[in-house]
Amino acid sequence: MEKPLRLQAFLARAGVGSRRKAEELIRQGRVRVNGRVAILGQKVNPGDVVEVDGKPVEPPRERIVLALHKPRGYTTTRHDPHAQKTVYDLLPDIPGLHPIGRLDRDSEGLLLLTNDGHLTLRLTHPRYGVKKVYRVYTERGTLPLAICQRLLEGVDLEDGPARALACRPAPGGALLTLAEGRKREVRRMLKAVGYPVTRLIRLQVGPIRLGHLPPGKWRQLSPREVEALLRETPVE
């Protein structure tokens, strides 16, 4: 931590819980700063000692968010005895770095990673429905409008109904927008309507686009881009 933070933001960034939960802890007198009972809204400065129920809280690390163009054939897990290649082979060694959501081994495109667990929880929580855009190619080529309409209305999967927020035919397949992130959801949806996927590329997560980032390369998101992500998941 390089600059003062409001106490509730400090606690949320440090992983104690949501900002609302942090505010409740402060109101209940369970938080101390430098040995004194804290008050709502006070600032925490670098070097201050913060405790919750008598236990010290580690200061939040600098938030880092990376965008990776994940190539096909890489898994998103750090330790997988069956994986020959993982996305960590392509990334810098940053403590605590983990993916925000996943892309399966055979899928490509935009994968966001961060060292901030609180940000990950916000971006993957179903209540926020962060939109994701995919370019898909199928065994049967371009999706007819009627099939797009079925995806918009919803299809039944083994773990419950699923639907696309947007669907537009594109050469060889379609452009799909979803707000969920269930395991292999896009592939299962297309298979359910008789158009198995041969290639899947994620183009966008919330306001962040893959753009012209080459496969296997990464870049760090700017502070403005991180703020745009946070606006997708407003804390009440």
Side-chain angles (χ1 to χ4, degrees):
M1 189 180 75
E2 298 178 352
K3 60 182 180 179
L5 282 176
R6 287 192 181 276
L7 179 55
Q8 51 266 45
F10 176 97
L11 293 172
R13 289 271 303 277
V16 171
S18 67
R19 194 167 300 198
R20 174 178 288 181
K21 179 180 178 182
E23 290 173 354
E24 291 175 356
L25 291 171
I26 296 167
R27 289 192 183 99
Q28 293 167 3
R30 296 166 59 185
V31 182
R32 291 178 176 267
V33 178
N34 298 328
R36 296 184 177 181
V37 176
I39 58 174
L40 196 62
Q42 79 176 79
K43 295 287 186 70
V44 178
N45 295 293
D48 285 347
V49 176
V50 179
E51 297 172 301
V52 175
D53 295 333
K55 297 180 180 179
V57 176
E58 290 294 326
R61 294 170 294 197
E62 177 192 1
R63 178 194 286 137
I64 295 174
V65 187
L66 305 182
L68 170 71
H69 186 158
K70 177 193 170 301
R72 192 169 188 165
Y74 285 76
T75 65
T76 58
T77 51
R78 184 182 289 273
H79 303 292
D80 185 343
H82 305 292
Q84 293 182 341
K85 298 180 291 187
T86 80
V87 295
Y88 293 96
D89 298 332
L90 307 170
L91 296 165
D93 186 14
I94 297 174
L97 189 69
H98 60 274
I100 301 173
R102 293 187 181 277
L103 279 176
D104 64 60
R105 185 185 64 183
D106 295 326
S107 296
E108 311 162 50
L110 180 61
L111 180 67
L112 298 181
L113 303 101
T114 184
N115 62 348
D116 186 340
H118 182 59
L119 177 63
T120 300
L121 288 173
R122 286 171 64 170
L123 291 174
T124 56
H125 198 291
R127 70 179 293 187
Y128 294 116
V130 175
K131 296 178 182 179
K132 305 171 186 69
V133 180
Y134 300 88
R135 176 67 163 98
V136 296
Y137 297 84
T138 80
E139 290 181 3
R140 298 174 61 187
T142 305
L143 265 65
L145 286 172
I147 296 297
C148 270
Q149 186 59 38
R150 284 183 61 187
L151 294 171
L152 293 171
E153 293 171 354
V155 296
D156 290 326
L157 303 178
E158 61 270 22
D159 55 353
R163 71 180 186 90
L165 296 181
C167 178
R168 178 165 60 86
L175 278 169
L176 288 175
T177 301
L178 273 68
E180 292 187 308
R182 284 186 271 168
K183 187 175 181 179
R184 298 178 69 85
E185 185 174 20
V186 175
R187 293 180 183 275
R188 291 187 291 138
M189 289 175 66
L190 270 294
K191 185 177 181 180
V193 296
Y195 280 77
V197 170
T198 57
R199 187 180 182 192
L200 186 153
I201 309 165
R202 186 155 67 194
L203 301 179
Q204 186 171 345
V205 177
I208 309 302
R209 298 175 183 269
L210 179 63
H212 299 293
L213 189 64
K217 300 299 182 179
W218 61 270
R219 67 177 183 86
Q220 185 167 345
L221 266 58
S222 68
R224 180 176 294 181
E225 288 177 308
V226 175
E227 286 302 316
L229 275 175
L230 292 172
R231 286 196 296 271
E232 293 279 310
T233 59
V235 176
E236 299 176 359

